[in-house]
Tab-separated table of all heavy atoms in Angstrom:
chain	number	residue	atom	x	y	z
A	674	PHE	N	-23.146	10.511	-14.679
A	674	PHE	CA	-24.544	10.662	-15.069
A	674	PHE	C	-25.168	11.934	-14.510
A	674	PHE	O	-26.209	12.375	-14.976
A	674	PHE	CB	-25.355	9.443	-14.617
A	674	PHE	CG	-24.917	8.153	-15.259
A	674	PHE	CD1	-25.184	6.934	-14.651
A	674	PHE	CD2	-24.229	8.155	-16.463
A	674	PHE	CE1	-24.783	5.748	-15.226
A	674	PHE	CE2	-23.808	6.975	-17.051
A	674	PHE	CZ	-24.086	5.764	-16.432
A	675	ARG	N	-24.544	12.526	-13.500
A	675	ARG	CA	-25.053	13.804	-13.003
A	675	ARG	C	-24.892	14.901	-14.045
A	675	ARG	O	-25.664	15.860	-14.078
A	675	ARG	CB	-24.318	14.205	-11.730
A	675	ARG	CG	-24.549	13.282	-10.557
A	675	ARG	CD	-23.992	13.895	-9.296
A	675	ARG	NE	-24.164	13.016	-8.155
A	675	ARG	CZ	-23.989	13.387	-6.899
A	675	ARG	NH1	-23.642	14.641	-6.643
A	675	ARG	NH2	-24.146	12.532	-5.910
A	676	TYR	N	-23.867	14.758	-14.860
A	676	TYR	CA	-23.557	15.806	-15.835
A	676	TYR	C	-23.763	15.365	-17.285
A	676	TYR	O	-23.975	16.209	-18.160
A	676	TYR	CB	-22.099	16.260	-15.644
A	676	TYR	CG	-21.810	16.672	-14.234
A	676	TYR	CD1	-21.191	15.803	-13.336
A	676	TYR	CD2	-22.184	17.929	-13.757
A	676	TYR	CE1	-20.928	16.166	-12.028
A	676	TYR	CE2	-21.931	18.305	-12.452
A	676	TYR	CZ	-21.311	17.418	-11.582
A	676	TYR	OH	-21.082	17.792	-10.279
A	677	ILE	N	-23.684	14.069	-17.534
A	677	ILE	CA	-23.796	13.545	-18.897
A	677	ILE	C	-24.848	12.438	-18.896
A	677	ILE	O	-24.798	11.529	-18.061
A	677	ILE	CB	-22.443	12.983	-19.387
A	677	ILE	CG1	-21.323	13.998	-19.160
A	677	ILE	CG2	-22.523	12.604	-20.861
A	677	ILE	CD1	-19.932	13.440	-19.387
A	678	ALA	N	-25.800	12.501	-19.826
A	678	ALA	CA	-26.857	11.486	-19.895
A	678	ALA	C	-26.250	10.127	-20.232
A	678	ALA	O	-25.290	10.051	-21.012
A	678	ALA	CB	-27.894	11.875	-20.945
A	679	PRO	N	-26.781	9.032	-19.682
A	679	PRO	CA	-26.201	7.698	-19.909
A	679	PRO	C	-26.111	7.300	-21.380
A	679	PRO	O	-25.183	6.592	-21.767
A	679	PRO	CB	-27.155	6.769	-19.144
A	679	PRO	CG	-27.779	7.631	-18.110
A	679	PRO	CD	-27.891	8.988	-18.722
A	680	GLU	N	-27.052	7.758	-22.193
A	680	GLU	CA	-26.990	7.410	-23.623
A	680	GLU	C	-25.831	8.092	-24.337
A	680	GLU	O	-25.463	7.711	-25.450
A	680	GLU	CB	-28.309	7.755	-24.328
A	680	GLU	CG	-28.688	9.217	-24.301
A	680	GLU	CD	-29.561	9.575	-23.121
A	680	GLU	OE1	-29.574	8.809	-22.136
A	680	GLU	OE2	-30.232	10.630	-23.187
A	681	GLN	N	-25.232	9.104	-23.681
A	681	GLN	CA	-24.084	9.806	-24.250
A	681	GLN	C	-22.755	9.270	-23.718
A	681	GLN	O	-21.699	9.561	-24.275
A	681	GLN	CB	-24.179	11.304	-23.931
A	681	GLN	CG	-25.391	12.009	-24.494
A	681	GLN	CD	-25.213	12.423	-25.939
A	681	GLN	OE1	-24.154	12.247	-26.509
A	681	GLN	NE2	-26.256	12.971	-26.537
A	682	VAL	N	-22.804	8.495	-22.647
A	682	VAL	CA	-21.581	7.997	-21.998
A	682	VAL	C	-21.183	6.659	-22.615
A	682	VAL	O	-22.007	5.743	-22.693
A	682	VAL	CB	-21.794	7.829	-20.484
A	682	VAL	CG1	-20.547	7.251	-19.826
A	682	VAL	CG2	-22.172	9.171	-19.851
A	683	PRO	N	-19.926	6.509	-23.052
A	683	PRO	CA	-19.481	5.227	-23.625
A	683	PRO	C	-19.620	4.074	-22.643
A	683	PRO	O	-19.582	4.264	-21.421
A	683	PRO	CB	-18.009	5.494	-23.972
A	683	PRO	CG	-17.916	6.968	-24.143
A	683	PRO	CD	-18.878	7.544	-23.152
A	684	VAL	N	-19.763	2.884	-23.193
A	684	VAL	CA	-19.950	1.675	-22.380
A	684	VAL	C	-18.815	1.498	-21.382
A	684	VAL	O	-19.039	1.115	-20.228
A	684	VAL	CB	-20.062	0.435	-23.301
A	684	VAL	CG1	-20.064	-0.841	-22.473
A	684	VAL	CG2	-21.318	0.518	-24.138
A	685	GLN	N	-17.588	1.794	-21.777
A	685	GLN	CA	-16.451	1.553	-20.903
A	685	GLN	C	-16.478	2.397	-19.638
A	685	GLN	O	-15.805	2.085	-18.655
A	685	GLN	CB	-15.148	1.810	-21.670
A	685	GLN	CG	-14.932	3.266	-22.057
A	685	GLN	CD	-13.790	3.469	-23.020
A	685	GLN	OE1	-13.987	3.594	-24.221
A	685	GLN	NE2	-12.572	3.489	-22.488
A	686	PHE	N	-17.289	3.475	-19.633
A	686	PHE	CA	-17.392	4.332	-18.455
A	686	PHE	C	-18.738	4.172	-17.745
A	686	PHE	O	-19.083	4.999	-16.902
A	686	PHE	CB	-17.174	5.790	-18.845
A	686	PHE	CG	-15.875	6.034	-19.544
A	686	PHE	CD1	-15.849	6.565	-20.826
A	686	PHE	CD2	-14.667	5.710	-18.942
A	686	PHE	CE1	-14.649	6.775	-21.483
A	686	PHE	CE2	-13.466	5.914	-19.591
A	686	PHE	CZ	-13.451	6.446	-20.869
A	687	GLY	N	-19.487	3.132	-18.091
A	687	GLY	CA	-20.732	2.844	-17.385
A	687	GLY	C	-21.991	3.195	-18.142
A	687	GLY	O	-23.095	2.897	-17.676
A	688	GLY	N	-21.875	3.845	-19.327
A	688	GLY	CA	-23.054	4.244	-20.083
A	688	GLY	C	-23.508	3.191	-21.068
A	688	GLY	O	-23.097	2.025	-21.025
A	689	LEU	N	-24.359	3.598	-22.023
A	689	LEU	CA	-24.911	2.680	-23.015
A	689	LEU	C	-24.503	3.029	-24.446
A	689	LEU	O	-25.006	2.420	-25.386
A	689	LEU	CB	-26.452	2.660	-22.923
A	689	LEU	CG	-27.053	2.136	-21.614
A	689	LEU	CD1	-28.575	2.101	-21.717
A	689	LEU	CD2	-26.525	0.762	-21.270
A	690	TYR	N	-23.603	3.986	-24.609
A	690	TYR	CA	-23.212	4.369	-25.968
A	690	TYR	C	-22.210	3.380	-26.546
A	690	TYR	O	-21.203	3.045	-25.915
A	690	TYR	CB	-22.597	5.774	-25.982
A	690	TYR	CG	-22.104	6.171	-27.355
A	690	TYR	CD1	-22.982	6.706	-28.288
A	690	TYR	CD2	-20.769	5.990	-27.717
A	690	TYR	CE1	-22.538	7.056	-29.552
A	690	TYR	CE2	-20.321	6.336	-28.980
A	690	TYR	CZ	-21.217	6.871	-29.893
A	690	TYR	OH	-20.780	7.200	-31.143
A	691	LYS	N	-22.496	2.914	-27.774
A	691	LYS	CA	-21.591	2.010	-28.494
A	691	LYS	C	-21.445	2.509	-29.921
A	691	LYS	O	-22.414	2.955	-30.538
A	691	LYS	CB	-22.145	0.573	-28.500
A	691	LYS	CG	-22.309	-0.030	-27.120
A	691	LYS	CD	-22.860	-1.441	-27.175
A	691	LYS	CE	-24.280	-1.481	-27.740
A	691	LYS	NZ	-25.236	-0.713	-26.911
A	692	GLU	N	-20.230	2.404	-30.424
A	692	GLU	CA	-19.945	2.892	-31.772
A	692	GLU	C	-20.746	2.137	-32.831
A	692	GLU	O	-21.278	2.714	-33.760
A	692	GLU	CB	-18.444	2.760	-32.071
A	692	GLU	CG	-17.573	3.790	-31.362
A	692	GLU	CD	-17.614	5.155	-32.018
A	692	GLU	OE1	-18.226	5.270	-33.099
A	692	GLU	OE2	-17.052	6.102	-31.457
A	693	ASP	N	-20.816	0.815	-32.701
A	693	ASP	CA	-21.399	-0.026	-33.747
A	693	ASP	C	-22.836	-0.444	-33.439
A	693	ASP	O	-23.306	-1.473	-33.929
A	693	ASP	CB	-20.537	-1.284	-33.953
A	693	ASP	CG	-20.346	-2.048	-32.646
A	693	ASP	OD1	-20.725	-1.511	-31.584
A	693	ASP	OD2	-19.805	-3.170	-32.694
A	694	ASP	N	-23.533	0.315	-32.628
A	694	ASP	CA	-24.904	-0.036	-32.253
A	694	ASP	C	-25.854	0.270	-33.413
A	694	ASP	O	-25.994	1.427	-33.825
A	694	ASP	CB	-25.320	0.754	-31.009
A	694	ASP	CG	-26.572	0.194	-30.361
A	694	ASP	OD1	-27.290	-0.582	-31.027
A	694	ASP	OD2	-26.832	0.529	-29.192
A	695	THR	N	-26.507	-0.767	-33.927
A	695	THR	CA	-27.451	-0.591	-35.041
A	695	THR	C	-28.893	-0.448	-34.565
A	695	THR	O	-29.772	-0.112	-35.367
A	695	THR	CB	-27.360	-1.793	-36.003
A	695	THR	OG1	-27.632	-2.998	-35.274
A	695	THR	CG2	-25.972	-1.886	-36.619
A	696	GLU	N	-29.142	-0.688	-33.288
A	696	GLU	CA	-30.508	-0.665	-32.758
A	696	GLU	C	-30.853	0.644	-32.073
A	696	GLU	O	-31.927	1.200	-32.264
A	696	GLU	CB	-30.706	-1.829	-31.780
A	696	GLU	CG	-32.158	-2.162	-31.503
A	696	GLU	CD	-32.878	-2.713	-32.727
A	696	GLU	OE1	-32.468	-3.769	-33.223
A	696	GLU	OE2	-33.830	-2.047	-33.188
A	697	PHE	N	-29.917	1.155	-31.275
A	697	PHE	CA	-30.178	2.374	-30.505
A	697	PHE	C	-29.115	3.430	-30.832
A	697	PHE	O	-28.012	3.115	-31.272
A	697	PHE	CB	-30.166	2.084	-29.005
A	697	PHE	CG	-31.273	1.167	-28.547
A	697	PHE	CD1	-31.052	-0.195	-28.412
A	697	PHE	CD2	-32.532	1.671	-28.267
A	697	PHE	CE1	-32.058	-1.036	-27.994
A	697	PHE	CE2	-33.553	0.840	-27.844
A	697	PHE	CZ	-33.319	-0.533	-27.712
A	698	SER	N	-29.478	4.679	-30.575
A	698	SER	CA	-28.558	5.795	-30.794
A	698	SER	C	-28.673	6.767	-29.628
A	698	SER	O	-29.455	6.555	-28.684
A	698	SER	CB	-28.880	6.514	-32.108
A	698	SER	OG	-30.146	7.154	-32.023
A	699	THR	N	-27.915	7.863	-29.683
A	699	THR	CA	-27.950	8.840	-28.598
A	699	THR	C	-29.293	9.564	-28.524
A	699	THR	O	-29.590	10.213	-27.516
A	699	THR	CB	-26.827	9.876	-28.780
A	699	THR	OG1	-26.921	10.450	-30.090
A	699	THR	CG2	-25.462	9.228	-28.614
A	700	SER	N	-30.108	9.462	-29.549
A	700	SER	CA	-31.439	10.084	-29.508
A	700	SER	C	-32.451	9.247	-28.722
A	700	SER	O	-33.548	9.734	-28.415
A	700	SER	CB	-31.957	10.317	-30.925
A	700	SER	OG	-32.064	9.097	-31.631
A	701	ASP	N	-32.091	8.001	-28.427
A	701	ASP	CA	-32.965	7.132	-27.631
A	701	ASP	C	-32.613	7.299	-26.152
A	701	ASP	O	-31.578	6.811	-25.686
A	701	ASP	CB	-32.798	5.669	-28.057
A	701	ASP	CG	-33.197	5.456	-29.512
A	701	ASP	OD1	-34.263	5.945	-29.912
A	701	ASP	OD2	-32.410	4.822	-30.248
Side-chain angles (χ1 to χ4, degrees):
F674 297 157
R675 295 190 182 193
Y676 306 99
I677 310 170
E680 61 268 20
Q681 299 277 356
V682 177
V684 172
Q685 67 191 99
F686 304 121
L689 296 184
Y690 177 84
K691 299 180 295 299
E692 286 282 354
D693 55 351
D694 195 343
T695 58
E696 198 67 62
F697 295 96
S698 67
T699 54
S700 60
D701 298 313

